[in-house]
PDB file of all heavy atoms in Angstrom:
ATOM      1  N   TYR A 426     -39.844 -21.663  -7.080  1.00 92.00           N
ATOM      2  CA  TYR A 426     -40.458 -22.428  -5.995  1.00 92.00           C
ATOM      3  C   TYR A 426     -40.261 -23.926  -6.200  1.00 92.00           C
ATOM      4  O   TYR A 426     -39.995 -24.666  -5.251  1.00 92.00           O
ATOM      5  CB  TYR A 426     -41.959 -22.105  -5.887  1.00 92.00           C
ATOM      6  CG  TYR A 426     -42.522 -22.543  -4.557  1.00 92.00           C
ATOM      7  CD1 TYR A 426     -42.598 -21.650  -3.505  1.00 92.00           C
ATOM      8  CD2 TYR A 426     -42.910 -23.861  -4.343  1.00 92.00           C
ATOM      9  CE1 TYR A 426     -43.070 -22.050  -2.279  1.00 92.00           C
ATOM     10  CE2 TYR A 426     -43.379 -24.273  -3.108  1.00 92.00           C
ATOM     11  CZ  TYR A 426     -43.460 -23.367  -2.085  1.00 92.00           C
ATOM     12  OH  TYR A 426     -43.904 -23.769  -0.869  1.00 92.00           O
ATOM     13  N   TYR A 427     -40.369 -24.370  -7.452  1.00 92.00           N
ATOM     14  CA  TYR A 427     -40.158 -25.795  -7.759  1.00 92.00           C
ATOM     15  C   TYR A 427     -38.720 -26.196  -7.435  1.00 92.00           C
ATOM     16  O   TYR A 427     -38.480 -27.263  -6.851  1.00 92.00           O
ATOM     17  CB  TYR A 427     -40.490 -26.032  -9.240  1.00 92.00           C
ATOM     18  CG  TYR A 427     -40.457 -27.475  -9.678  1.00 92.00           C
ATOM     19  CD1 TYR A 427     -40.753 -28.520  -8.810  1.00 92.00           C
ATOM     20  CD2 TYR A 427     -40.145 -27.804 -10.999  1.00 92.00           C
ATOM     21  CE1 TYR A 427     -40.732 -29.834  -9.237  1.00 92.00           C
ATOM     22  CE2 TYR A 427     -40.127 -29.119 -11.426  1.00 92.00           C
ATOM     23  CZ  TYR A 427     -40.417 -30.128 -10.544  1.00 92.00           C
ATOM     24  OH  TYR A 427     -40.384 -31.427 -10.958  1.00 92.00           O
ATOM     25  N   THR A 428     -37.774 -25.322  -7.751  1.00 91.00           N
ATOM     26  CA  THR A 428     -36.374 -25.588  -7.418  1.00 91.00           C
ATOM     27  C   THR A 428     -36.206 -25.728  -5.913  1.00 91.00           C
ATOM     28  O   THR A 428     -35.556 -26.657  -5.430  1.00 91.00           O
ATOM     29  CB  THR A 428     -35.472 -24.438  -7.919  1.00 91.00           C
ATOM     30  OG1 THR A 428     -35.813 -24.144  -9.253  1.00 91.00           O
ATOM     31  CG2 THR A 428     -34.010 -24.820  -7.834  1.00 91.00           C
ATOM     32  N   TYR A 429     -36.838 -24.795  -5.189  1.00 92.00           N
ATOM     33  CA  TYR A 429     -36.776 -24.837  -3.728  1.00 92.00           C
ATOM     34  C   TYR A 429     -37.393 -26.133  -3.211  1.00 92.00           C
ATOM     35  O   TYR A 429     -36.822 -26.810  -2.350  1.00 92.00           O
ATOM     36  CB  TYR A 429     -37.507 -23.626  -3.153  1.00 92.00           C
ATOM     37  CG  TYR A 429     -37.793 -23.739  -1.677  1.00 92.00           C
ATOM     38  CD1 TYR A 429     -36.799 -23.446  -0.744  1.00 92.00           C
ATOM     39  CD2 TYR A 429     -39.038 -24.173  -1.221  1.00 92.00           C
ATOM     40  CE1 TYR A 429     -37.060 -23.579   0.602  1.00 92.00           C
ATOM     41  CE2 TYR A 429     -39.290 -24.302   0.124  1.00 92.00           C
ATOM     42  CZ  TYR A 429     -38.300 -23.998   1.030  1.00 92.00           C
ATOM     43  OH  TYR A 429     -38.554 -24.139   2.357  1.00 92.00           O
ATOM     44  N   ASP A 430     -38.519 -26.497  -3.761  1.00 90.00           N
ATOM     45  CA  ASP A 430     -39.227 -27.689  -3.300  1.00 90.00           C
ATOM     46  C   ASP A 430     -38.422 -28.955  -3.572  1.00 90.00           C
ATOM     47  O   ASP A 430     -38.305 -29.824  -2.706  1.00 90.00           O
ATOM     48  CB  ASP A 430     -40.595 -27.761  -4.003  1.00 90.00           C
ATOM     49  CG  ASP A 430     -41.490 -28.817  -3.371  1.00 90.00           C
ATOM     50  OD1 ASP A 430     -41.537 -28.853  -2.128  1.00 90.00           O
ATOM     51  OD2 ASP A 430     -42.111 -29.592  -4.108  1.00 90.00           O
ATOM     52  N   LEU A 431     -37.835 -29.037  -4.763  1.00 88.00           N
ATOM     53  CA  LEU A 431     -37.007 -30.205  -5.092  1.00 88.00           C
ATOM     54  C   LEU A 431     -35.809 -30.297  -4.159  1.00 88.00           C
ATOM     55  O   LEU A 431     -35.470 -31.371  -3.656  1.00 88.00           O
ATOM     56  CB  LEU A 431     -36.498 -30.107  -6.533  1.00 88.00           C
ATOM     57  CG  LEU A 431     -37.406 -30.577  -7.653  1.00 88.00           C
ATOM     58  CD1 LEU A 431     -36.738 -30.330  -8.990  1.00 88.00           C
ATOM     59  CD2 LEU A 431     -37.711 -32.060  -7.500  1.00 88.00           C
ATOM     60  N   GLY A 432     -35.151 -29.163  -3.930  1.00 86.00           N
ATOM     61  CA  GLY A 432     -33.920 -29.166  -3.151  1.00 86.00           C
ATOM     62  C   GLY A 432     -34.188 -29.324  -1.665  1.00 86.00           C
ATOM     63  O   GLY A 432     -33.634 -30.206  -1.009  1.00 86.00           O
ATOM     64  N   PHE A 433     -35.056 -28.463  -1.132  1.00 87.00           N
ATOM     65  CA  PHE A 433     -35.174 -28.398   0.318  1.00 87.00           C
ATOM     66  C   PHE A 433     -36.440 -29.046   0.846  1.00 87.00           C
ATOM     67  O   PHE A 433     -36.598 -29.204   2.046  1.00 87.00           O
ATOM     68  CB  PHE A 433     -35.034 -26.944   0.758  1.00 87.00           C
ATOM     69  CG  PHE A 433     -33.775 -26.331   0.236  1.00 87.00           C
ATOM     70  CD1 PHE A 433     -33.788 -25.502  -0.869  1.00 87.00           C
ATOM     71  CD2 PHE A 433     -32.550 -26.653   0.807  1.00 87.00           C
ATOM     72  CE1 PHE A 433     -32.621 -24.972  -1.374  1.00 87.00           C
ATOM     73  CE2 PHE A 433     -31.380 -26.133   0.307  1.00 87.00           C
ATOM     74  CZ  PHE A 433     -31.412 -25.295  -0.790  1.00 87.00           C
ATOM     75  N   GLY A 434     -37.334 -29.450  -0.068  1.00 84.00           N
ATOM     76  CA  GLY A 434     -38.476 -30.243   0.355  1.00 84.00           C
ATOM     77  C   GLY A 434     -38.182 -31.724   0.228  1.00 84.00           C
ATOM     78  O   GLY A 434     -38.542 -32.520   1.082  1.00 84.00           O
ATOM     79  N   ARG A 435     -37.513 -32.110  -0.873  1.00 83.00           N
ATOM     80  CA  ARG A 435     -37.233 -33.529  -1.107  1.00 83.00           C
ATOM     81  C   ARG A 435     -35.750 -33.870  -1.099  1.00 83.00           C
ATOM     82  O   ARG A 435     -35.383 -35.025  -1.319  1.00 83.00           O
ATOM     83  CB  ARG A 435     -37.773 -33.927  -2.482  1.00 83.00           C
ATOM     84  CG  ARG A 435     -39.247 -33.775  -2.599  1.00 83.00           C
ATOM     85  CD  ARG A 435     -39.577 -33.342  -4.000  1.00 83.00           C
ATOM     86  NE  ARG A 435     -40.924 -32.823  -4.014  1.00 83.00           N
ATOM     87  CZ  ARG A 435     -41.954 -33.464  -4.536  1.00 83.00           C
ATOM     88  NH1 ARG A 435     -41.784 -34.613  -5.127  1.00 83.00           N
ATOM     89  NH2 ARG A 435     -43.145 -32.942  -4.483  1.00 83.00           N
ATOM     90  N   PHE A 436     -34.889 -32.861  -0.941  1.00 82.00           N
ATOM     91  CA  PHE A 436     -33.438 -33.075  -0.891  1.00 82.00           C
ATOM     92  C   PHE A 436     -32.892 -33.740  -2.149  1.00 82.00           C
ATOM     93  O   PHE A 436     -31.898 -34.424  -2.111  1.00 82.00           O
ATOM     94  CB  PHE A 436     -33.051 -33.866   0.362  1.00 82.00           C
ATOM     95  CG  PHE A 436     -33.381 -33.121   1.614  1.00 82.00           C
ATOM     96  CD1 PHE A 436     -34.495 -33.450   2.359  1.00 82.00           C
ATOM     97  CD2 PHE A 436     -32.610 -32.045   2.023  1.00 82.00           C
ATOM     98  CE1 PHE A 436     -34.833 -32.736   3.500  1.00 82.00           C
ATOM     99  CE2 PHE A 436     -32.923 -31.337   3.156  1.00 82.00           C
ATOM    100  CZ  PHE A 436     -34.042 -31.680   3.902  1.00 82.00           C
ATOM    101  N   GLN A 437     -33.558 -33.524  -3.288  1.00 84.00           N
ATOM    102  CA  GLN A 437     -33.018 -34.015  -4.561  1.00 84.00           C
ATOM    103  C   GLN A 437     -32.171 -32.907  -5.175  1.00 84.00           C
ATOM    104  O   GLN A 437     -32.610 -32.199  -6.074  1.00 84.00           O
ATOM    105  CB  GLN A 437     -34.157 -34.379  -5.513  1.00 84.00           C
ATOM    106  CG  GLN A 437     -34.977 -35.534  -5.019  1.00 84.00           C
ATOM    107  CD  GLN A 437     -36.084 -35.885  -5.991  1.00 84.00           C
ATOM    108  OE1 GLN A 437     -36.439 -35.096  -6.845  1.00 84.00           O
ATOM    109  NE2 GLN A 437     -36.606 -37.090  -5.859  1.00 84.00           N
ATOM    110  N   PHE A 438     -30.940 -32.791  -4.672  1.00 85.00           N
ATOM    111  CA  PHE A 438     -30.140 -31.659  -5.111  1.00 85.00           C
ATOM    112  C   PHE A 438     -29.677 -31.777  -6.550  1.00 85.00           C
ATOM    113  O   PHE A 438     -29.393 -30.781  -7.195  1.00 85.00           O
ATOM    114  CB  PHE A 438     -28.965 -31.448  -4.160  1.00 85.00           C
ATOM    115  CG  PHE A 438     -29.403 -30.884  -2.866  1.00 85.00           C
ATOM    116  CD1 PHE A 438     -29.571 -31.698  -1.755  1.00 85.00           C
ATOM    117  CD2 PHE A 438     -29.714 -29.553  -2.765  1.00 85.00           C
ATOM    118  CE1 PHE A 438     -30.024 -31.165  -0.565  1.00 85.00           C
ATOM    119  CE2 PHE A 438     -30.164 -29.023  -1.575  1.00 85.00           C
ATOM    120  CZ  PHE A 438     -30.322 -29.824  -0.473  1.00 85.00           C
ATOM    121  N   GLY A 439     -29.600 -33.008  -7.054  1.00 86.00           N
ATOM    122  CA  GLY A 439     -29.240 -33.181  -8.457  1.00 86.00           C
ATOM    123  C   GLY A 439     -30.230 -32.478  -9.357  1.00 86.00           C
ATOM    124  O   GLY A 439     -29.872 -31.610 -10.158  1.00 86.00           O
ATOM    125  N   ARG A 440     -31.495 -32.828  -9.189  1.00 88.00           N
ATOM    126  CA  ARG A 440     -32.518 -32.225 -10.050  1.00 88.00           C
ATOM    127  C   ARG A 440     -32.704 -30.749  -9.769  1.00 88.00           C
ATOM    128  O   ARG A 440     -32.899 -29.947 -10.674  1.00 88.00           O
ATOM    129  CB  ARG A 440     -33.843 -32.948  -9.843  1.00 88.00           C
ATOM    130  CG  ARG A 440     -33.817 -34.227 -10.609  1.00 88.00           C
ATOM    131  CD  ARG A 440     -35.155 -34.867 -10.685  1.00 88.00           C
ATOM    132  NE  ARG A 440     -34.896 -36.283 -10.884  1.00 88.00           N
ATOM    133  CZ  ARG A 440     -35.725 -37.239 -10.556  1.00 88.00           C
ATOM    134  NH1 ARG A 440     -36.880 -36.932 -10.010  1.00 88.00           N
ATOM    135  NH2 ARG A 440     -35.414 -38.484 -10.772  1.00 88.00           N
ATOM    136  N   SER A 441     -32.647 -30.408  -8.480  1.00 89.00           N
ATOM    137  CA  SER A 441     -32.800 -29.010  -8.108  1.00 89.00           C
ATOM    138  C   SER A 441     -31.715 -28.161  -8.764  1.00 89.00           C
ATOM    139  O   SER A 441     -31.994 -27.088  -9.315  1.00 89.00           O
ATOM    140  CB  SER A 441     -32.737 -28.921  -6.595  1.00 89.00           C
ATOM    141  OG  SER A 441     -32.844 -27.620  -6.177  1.00 89.00           O
ATOM    142  N   GLY A 442     -30.473 -28.678  -8.728  1.00 89.00           N
ATOM    143  CA  GLY A 442     -29.360 -27.961  -9.355  1.00 89.00           C
ATOM    144  C   GLY A 442     -29.566 -27.831 -10.849  1.00 89.00           C
ATOM    145  O   GLY A 442     -29.366 -26.749 -11.430  1.00 89.00           O
ATOM    146  N   ALA A 443     -29.995 -28.934 -11.470  1.00 90.00           N
ATOM    147  CA  ALA A 443     -30.238 -28.894 -12.910  1.00 90.00           C
ATOM    148  C   ALA A 443     -31.297 -27.856 -13.252  1.00 90.00           C
ATOM    149  O   ALA A 443     -31.151 -27.076 -14.199  1.00 90.00           O
ATOM    150  CB  ALA A 443     -30.679 -30.273 -13.397  1.00 90.00           C
TER     151      ALA A 443
END
Side-chain angles (χ1 to χ4, degrees):
Chain A
Y426 197 94
Y427 186 30
T428 312
Y429 166 81
D430 191 45
L431 276 177
F433 306 101
R435 298 145 197 254
F436 297 102
Q437 295 181 342
F438 287 100
R440 281 191 205 155
S441 179

